[in-house]
């Protein structure tokens, strides 16, 4: 792989409208809604009586475009225009700076482009363009696009042809929107590897890297496929679209608009909550309900998963499942391992996508299934691992939130998680939705093996009641805030549990790190004495997840070990264990409802841990919706 001096994933938007109108506020709102894709700098360009006007800022668009200088200039925001583009950036290499913020222009200032993705051959392109006199102003890979179009215009008469010529030279991934001052009322769009969606209304085209942005205007959209470009124009009050493929040769293609599903405008609003993350934590009962809806049959005690109906034979023969995923989705995969191995005789391995894609694999393809788990369905490492699995001829099953995403379209089959749009960068509701699908998937596999009908019914009834129990856990919010405050001076923290609770400890630690920037560990509780206990002292907090299941007595033993070293203990357990003397001695406890099936506790116990991380971060003054250095979907390697 080539080393880039700067790559980005980012959010992009472009609008053309039939009639001149105040488009700058529209672009800024769109960028606010794309902020989850990156927020270290932002910018926009528009055409104003045949000149390209560009404005940039450091930081998030909602903080610095909306509340900053640009917005204050009514001459800009009130300007009635037909053509505008915008960008919010997440840099992985090189410092965020105004010069690196998009849009990028060519030498003459005629062309402005926004780009999401990575141009792998940018160094070669840049150096040959420099040799023939092009001057670059940024360190980005993206700027070569503007200069390549400028260069192509020396021999192509039409801008469209120069654009296509330049695009064909690019290697790597891109979603691009370009504007040209000599062609007002036209957007030039191209896609390869990074998402591009074209929203269609009676009065405008709006192009964006996420369908959420389009929802403010329309539910009708055309998702571009890889190696497709679109020329969107408005002329004499008529909107015109031309879609072309640029594979071996350039040829027109026709695409029918689709309806946006699985996302709503409500998802984009905080609805009275102080942050998106808190809203999404509170949405979890609804999320589990939505994810379960219509996916089980109480009479047969079985799961009803449409994505599996044509694959019964393969599922019966399954010996191995390999989950591939990153971050929170990987923690869901680890919980899935516990659930599936508990209920069936199938072996489950969890592979981190960025590792899987470069490893040798010894599983036999005919009796193995790859389960790809991803909220966004866009994570570059996950897609890379999926491609490797496909090349090695494994069957693939996706557990994905975003409809139409790469993972959802590339896997052989799968199930959507129905969590709706998740804006908070630290994942919450998408995680419980992934777990919910994994319970149903495990139930299906188990009922194909030796799980009795009544056992199936029992599991279904526990799952059905989870949303109600989740509501009870959410009532503990204020209490959890006080607990976070009580431990605010703690120096370091470990999250611990046994068996099925270990992945939840991992997810709790991930949430805590993402939000507070405090290093913390997560371990199987029994492993504590084999090393991590060395860090236990009066300034150390052990957060222990231990509902009253068959490992409860063992867990109590470990608590005594921690207390004997002077460490502080916060216990998450269920109502049936509340009176236990060891629990009573803890420095703090969070009591969740007792449920019928121990295997379902992860769905409940993660909520207080999300809230604990949330309130801990809030009291430190952190930006909980947009933690530093992170982005919602990491579309670069
Ligand atoms: C990034 C995000 C994590 C997320 C991971 C996987 O690293 O910051 O929060 O869990 O990607 O994302 P995915 O969309 O594939 O679930």
């Amino acid at each position: 792989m080539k080393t880039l001096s700067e790559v980005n994933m980012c959010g992009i938007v472009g609008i053309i409208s039939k009639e001149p109108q105040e488009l700058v506020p529209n672009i800024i709102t769109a960028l606010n809604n794309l902020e989850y894709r990156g927020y270290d700098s932002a910018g926009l360009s528009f055409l104003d009586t045949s000149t390209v006007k560009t404005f940039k800022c450091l930081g998030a668009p909602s903080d610095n475009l909306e509340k900053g200088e640009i917005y204050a200039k009514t001459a800009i925001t009130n300007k009635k225009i037909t053509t505008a583009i915008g960008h919010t950036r997440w840099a992985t290499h090189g410092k965020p700076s105004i010069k690196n913020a998009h849009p990028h222009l060519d030498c003459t200032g005629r062309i402005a482009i926004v780009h999401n993705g990575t141009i792998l051959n940018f160094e070669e392109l840049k150096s040959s363009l420099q040799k023939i006199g092009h001057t670059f102003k940024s360190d980005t890979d993206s700027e070569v696009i503007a200069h390549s179009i400028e260069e192509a215009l020396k021999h192509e008469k039409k801008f469209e042809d120069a654009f296509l010529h330049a695009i064909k030279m690019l290697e790597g991934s891109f979603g691009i929107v370009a504007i040209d001052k000599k062609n007002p009322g036209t957007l030039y769009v191209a896609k390869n590897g990074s998402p591009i969606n074209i929203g269609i209304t009676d009065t405008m085209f709006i192009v964006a890297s996420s369908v959420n942005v389009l929802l403010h205007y329309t539910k009708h959209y055309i998702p571009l496929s890889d190696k497709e470009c679109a020329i969107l124009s408005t002329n004499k009050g008529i909107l015109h679209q031309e879609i072309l493929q640029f594979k071996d040769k350039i040829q027109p293609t026709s695409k029918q608009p689709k309806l946006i599903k699985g996302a709503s405008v409500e998802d984009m609003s905080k609805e009275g909550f102080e942050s998106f993350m808190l809203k999404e934590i509170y949405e979890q009962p609804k999320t589990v309900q939505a994810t379960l809806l219509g996916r089980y049959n109480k009479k047969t005690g079985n799961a009803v998963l449409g994505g599996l109906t044509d694959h019964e034979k393969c599922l019966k023969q399954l010996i191995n499942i390999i989950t591939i995923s990153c971050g929170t989705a990987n923690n869901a995969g680890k919980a899935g391992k516990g659930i599936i191995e508990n209920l069936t005789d199938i072996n489950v391995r969890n592979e981190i996508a960025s590792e899987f894609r470069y490893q040798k694999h010894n599983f036999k393809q005919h009796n193995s299934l790859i389960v790809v788990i991803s909220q966004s369905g866009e994570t570059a490492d996950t897609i890379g691992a999926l491609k490797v699995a496909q090349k090695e001829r494994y069957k693939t099953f996706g557990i994905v939130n975003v409809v139409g995403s790469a993972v959802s379209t590339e896997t052989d089959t799968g199930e959507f998680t129905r969590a709706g749009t998740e804006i908070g960068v630290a994942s919450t509701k998408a995680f419980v939705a992934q777990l919910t699908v994994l319970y149903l998937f495990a139930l299906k596999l188990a009922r194909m093996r030796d799980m009795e009908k009544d056992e199936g019914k029992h599991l279904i009834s526990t799952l059905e009641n989870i949303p109600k129990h989740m509501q009870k856990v959410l009532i503990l919010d204020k209490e959890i805030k006080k607990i976070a405050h009580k431990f605010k001076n703690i120096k370091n923290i470990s999250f611990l549990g046994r068996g099925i609770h270990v992945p939840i400890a991992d997810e709790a630690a991930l949430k805590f790190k993402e939000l507070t920037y405090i290093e913390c560990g997560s371990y199987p509780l029994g492993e504590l004495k084999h090393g991590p206990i060395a860090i236990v002292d009066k300034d150390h907090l052990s957060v222990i997840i231990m509902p009253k299941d068959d490992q409860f007595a063992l867990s109590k033993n470990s608590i005594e070990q921690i207390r004997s070293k002077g460490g502080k203990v916060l216990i998450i357990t269920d109502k049936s264990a509340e009176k236990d003397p060891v629990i009573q001695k803890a420095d703090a406890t969070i009591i969740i409802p007792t449920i019928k099936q121990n295997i379902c506790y992860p769905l409940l116990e993660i909520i207080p841990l999300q809230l604990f991380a949330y309130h801990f971060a809030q009291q430190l003054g952190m930006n909980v919706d947009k933690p530093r250095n992170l982005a919602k979907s990491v579309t670069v390697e």
Side-chain angles (χ1 to χ4, degrees):
M1 196 190 73
K2 303 196 178 186
T3 313
L4 297 173
S5 65
E6 194 267 9
V7 288
N8 56 63
M9 24 189 238
C10 324
I12 60 177
V13 60
I15 304 180
I16 51 158
S17 92
K18 279 203 300 205
E19 301 299 333
Q21 54 169 305
E22 292 166 9
L23 285 189
V24 169
N26 287 270
I27 292 285
I28 293 176
T29 305
L31 292 179
N32 292 350
N33 288 330
L34 285 167
E35 250 175 45
Y36 71 95
R37 299 179 65 89
Y39 37 83
D40 54 43
S41 56
L44 58 91
S45 291
F46 60 86
L47 293 184
D48 177 24
T49 52
S50 296
T51 52
V52 177
K53 296 256 166 74
T54 299
F55 299 89
K56 298 181 181 183
C57 70
L58 273 180
S62 60
D63 294 332
N64 299 309
L65 273 183
E66 181 155 355
K67 295 173 201 142
E69 250 179 72
I70 301 172
Y71 218 78
K73 288 184 186 157
T74 46
I76 298 167
T77 49
N78 291 353
K79 185 130 274 168
K80 293 213 166 47
I81 48 178
T82 59
T83 317
I85 55 175
H87 187 275
T88 178
R89 178 168 177 254
W90 185 80
T92 53
H93 297 261
K95 282 192 180 154
S97 62
I98 292 289
K99 74 170 183 178
N100 287 338
H102 296 220
H104 291 293
L105 276 65
D106 66 322
C107 297
T108 64
R110 169 179 171 178
I111 306 157
I113 66 100
V114 286
H115 166 230
N116 167 29
T118 306
I119 307 299
L120 289 172
N121 61 338
F122 92 98
E123 279 161 335
E124 291 99 290
L125 292 174
K126 185 170 176 174
S127 93
S128 48
L129 285 162
Q130 279 170 325
K131 276 186 202 137
I132 50 176
H134 289 261
T135 310
F136 283 73
K137 297 195 180 74
S138 77
D139 309 320
T140 65
D141 55 330
S142 312
E143 196 184 343
V144 293
I145 302 166
H147 292 278
S148 298
I149 304 172
E150 178 190 4
E151 190 55 34
L153 275 167
K154 290 182 184 159
H155 50 85
E156 300 284 2
K157 273 202 199 101
K158 282 168 73 185
F159 188 89
E160 176 181 327
D161 294 334
F163 179 74
L164 279 159
H165 182 96
I167 296 305
K168 284 200 81 174
M169 293 195 310
L170 304 177
E171 286 169 20
S173 62
F174 49 82
I176 298 168
V177 188
I179 54 174
D180 169 29
K181 76 172 184 188
K182 296 199 179 159
N183 283 288
T186 310
L187 291 181
Y188 302 85
V189 187
K191 170 185 172 5
N192 189 41
S194 306
I196 286 279
N197 302 289
I198 304 168
I200 305 162
T201 78
D202 291 342
T203 55
M204 61 161 70
F205 284 121
I206 170 153
V207 178
S209 39
S210 159
V211 290
N212 304 334
V213 170
L214 312 185
L215 276 171
H216 287 268
Y217 304 89
T218 179
K219 281 213 152 200
H220 297 276
Y221 81 119
I222 295 177
L224 281 193
S225 304
D226 284 346
K227 300 232 177 247
E228 280 183 356
C229 85
I231 317 296
L232 307 172
S233 54
T234 163
N235 193 4
K236 296 187 184 126
I238 295 171
L239 289 169
H240 184 73
Q241 74 190 50
E242 187 186 2
I243 300 184
L244 303 158
Q245 282 177 341
F246 55 97
K247 291 182 180 159
D248 300 331
K249 53 180 186 173
I250 294 166
Q251 56 184 21
T253 180
S254 73
K255 299 192 87 161
Q256 289 309 311
K258 292 184 172 182
L259 216 55
I260 298 174
K261 291 186 193 144
S264 68
V265 182
E266 290 74 48
D267 286 336
M268 309 305 295
S269 131
K270 288 187 196 152
E271 293 184 337
F273 283 90
E274 62 186 23
S275 66
F276 280 108
M277 185 177 172
L278 196 62
K279 174 190 162 220
E280 287 159 6
I281 290 174
Y282 272 80
E283 276 173 353
Q284 292 179 111
K286 196 179 83 187
T287 303
V288 172
Q289 232 162 18
T291 307
L292 287 174
L293 193 72
R295 282 176 164 163
Y296 57 83
N297 182 330
K298 274 182 140 147
K299 281 196 190 130
T300 59
N302 206 343
V304 181
L305 297 174
L308 297 181
T309 33
D310 296 335
H311 304 270
E312 301 253 329
K313 191 170 159 226
C314 143
L315 294 176
K316 276 186 189 139
Q317 288 167 354
L318 263 193
I319 294 179
N320 303 305
I321 287 178
I322 304 106
T323 67
I324 50 180
S325 43
C326 311
T328 290
N330 184 53
N331 290 332
K334 289 192 272 184
K337 172 182 164 73
I339 300 163
I340 296 168
E341 288 187 342
N342 247 290
L343 300 181
T344 72
D345 56 358
I346 299 170
N347 303 308
V348 184
R349 282 180 68 134
N350 300 121
E351 298 284 345
I352 302 247
S354 55
E355 288 294 309
F356 180 89
R357 57 192 299 198
Y358 300 114
Q359 278 165 359
K360 175 171 172 275
H361 310 117
N362 295 335
F363 329 101
K364 297 274 175 290
Q365 285 83 353
H366 72 275
N367 54 21
S368 301
L369 176 73
I370 300 277
V371 175
V372 184
I373 309 172
S374 176
Q375 187 285 123
S376 62
E378 264 183 47
T379 306
D381 281 321
T382 307
I383 295 168
L386 169 61
K387 286 194 173 144
V388 169
Q390 284 168 328
K391 212 167 149 206
E392 294 177 7
R393 296 211 158 99
Y394 288 101
K395 276 218 159 12
T396 56
F397 178 82
I399 298 180
V400 193
N401 198 35
V402 177
V403 180
S405 60
V407 173
S408 79
T409 52
E410 299 289 314
T411 38
D412 295 325
T413 184
E415 292 294 330
F416 287 110
T417 44
R418 302 182 185 158
T421 308
E422 193 179 61
I423 306 282
V425 167
S427 183
T428 52
K429 63 175 180 170
F431 177 71
V432 299
Q434 287 160 352
L435 291 187
T436 307
V437 172
L438 285 160
Y439 280 105
L440 292 166
F441 184 46
L443 171 62
K444 179 86 192 164
L445 294 170
R447 290 286 285 114
M448 282 178 162
R449 291 169 171 74
D450 54 7
M451 183 192 262
E452 297 293 335
K453 185 172 162 181
D454 280 350
E455 271 182 88
K457 285 183 176 178
H458 199 45
L459 179 58
I460 289 172
S461 128
T462 309
L463 287 171
E464 266 187 327
N465 283 313
I466 288 291
K468 185 180 79 194
H469 292 308
M470 282 179 153
Q471 296 288 10
K472 291 187 191 144
V473 179
L474 287 166
I475 292 170
L476 305 175
D477 189 9
K478 281 199 183 114
E479 201 183 302
I480 296 167
K481 189 174 178 177
K482 283 190 199 142
I483 294 174
H485 189 70
K486 175 176 175 161
F487 293 117
K488 74 170 189 294
N489 296 322
I490 258 353
K491 294 275 179 318
N492 42 49
I493 301 197
S494 303
F495 292 88
L496 306 140
R498 287 175 184 267
I500 190 87
H501 313 295
V502 178
I504 303 304
D506 293 342
E507 176 57 10
L510 182 63
K511 287 290 87 79
F512 195 82
K513 262 181 258 201
E514 286 176 326
L515 297 185
T516 66
Y517 319 152
I518 296 171
E519 172 55 4
C520 60
S522 56
Y523 313 98
L525 186 51
E527 185 63 10
L528 186 73
K529 58 186 176 296
H530 298 296
I533 200 157
I535 58 172
V536 171
D537 64 10
K538 64 174 182 23
D539 296 322
H540 181 269
L541 175 65
S542 298
V543 181
I544 304 172
I545 311 165
M546 47 179 295
K548 199 162 184 182
D549 58 14
D550 49 7
Q551 307 237 31
F552 186 71
L554 278 170
S555 300
K556 286 203 292 184
N557 198 28
S558 309
I559 293 174
E560 297 296 357
Q561 290 167 8
I562 296 166
R563 293 183 61 83
S564 71
K565 309 287 176 275
K568 305 270 186 310
V569 175
L570 161 60
I571 295 177
I572 287 128
T573 190
D574 73 285
K575 190 102 182 94
S576 71
E578 193 178 11
K579 299 268 156 23
D580 188 288
V582 176
I583 303 292
Q584 296 265 312
K585 273 193 273 171
D587 298 280
T589 50
I590 298 172
I591 309 291
I592 60 174
T594 301
I595 53 175
K596 285 193 213 152
Q597 287 223 317
N598 292 337
I599 204 173
C600 293
Y601 272 119
L603 283 167
L604 290 187
E605 64 204 20
I606 188 57
I607 296 183
L609 292 159
Q610 293 164 341
L611 286 167
F612 179 69
Y614 180 87
H615 291 303
F616 210 105
Q618 283 286 58
Q619 73 194 355
L620 298 177
M622 302 307 185
N623 184 339
V624 285
D625 277 342
K626 285 171 268 169
R628 73 175 182 201
N629 305 343
L630 300 180
K632 187 77 189 144
S633 48
V634 179
T635 54
V636 292
E637 224 181 301

